[in-house]
């Protein structure tokens, strides 16, 4: 098992998120209704800004629809790939 600091360093290297950002995201997920399109869209936009990966409207729609319809990747890496694969 990796040490928490090592894990945070890996996440930071890949996404430029610091531990504060990660905890802020995690806190915003508590009690979030992932069936509500507006809630999910807001979260996707926040994540896009935090990781500094702009996404096109079509890609945002694809991500929102996947989450709302429970077709979400099971791991963070796959979810990040969804953000990166614009177009």
């Amino acid at each position: 098992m990796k040490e928490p600091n090592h894990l945070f360093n890996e996440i930071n290297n890949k996404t430029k998120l610091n531990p504060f950002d990660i905890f802020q995201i995690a806190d915003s997920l508590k009690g979030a209704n992932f069936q509500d399109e507006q809630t999910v869209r807001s979260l996707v936009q926040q994540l896009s800004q935090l990781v500094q990966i702009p996404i096109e409207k079509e890609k945002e729609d694809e991500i929102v629809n996947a989450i709302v319809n429970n077709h979400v990747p099971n791991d963070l890496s796959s979810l990040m790939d969804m953000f990166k694969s614009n177009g």
Side-chain angles (χ1 to χ4, degrees):
M1 183 174 197
K2 296 180 180 178
E3 293 180 34
N5 287 338
H6 181 71
L7 180 61
F8 285 127
N9 287 338
E10 281 187 41
I11 291 171
N12 183 267
N13 288 338
K14 290 182 180 184
T15 66
K16 304 302 180 215
L17 291 175
N18 63 46
F20 177 78
D21 293 331
I22 294 167
F23 287 115
Q24 186 177 14
I25 292 167
D27 193 48
S28 73
L29 296 175
K30 292 179 185 174
N33 179 0
F34 292 103
Q35 302 303 304
D36 178 60
E37 181 179 333
Q38 199 58 32
T39 298
V40 173
R41 189 169 301 280
S42 176
L43 178 62
V44 168
Q45 291 169 352
Q46 289 174 1
L47 288 173
S48 174
Q49 290 174 350
L50 280 173
V51 298
Q52 300 175 8
I53 300 175
I55 56 174
E56 297 174 357
K57 175 74 169 117
E58 295 81 21
K59 180 53 70 175
E60 179 182 311
D61 290 342
E62 179 185 332
I63 293 168
V64 169
N65 287 330
I67 293 170
V68 168
N69 293 308
N70 237 359
H71 298 199
V72 183
N74 292 330
D75 59 89
L76 181 61
S77 178
S78 296
L79 188 59
M80 289 303 297
D81 287 343
M82 284 182 75
F83 274 84
K84 290 179 184 176
S85 61
N86 281 322

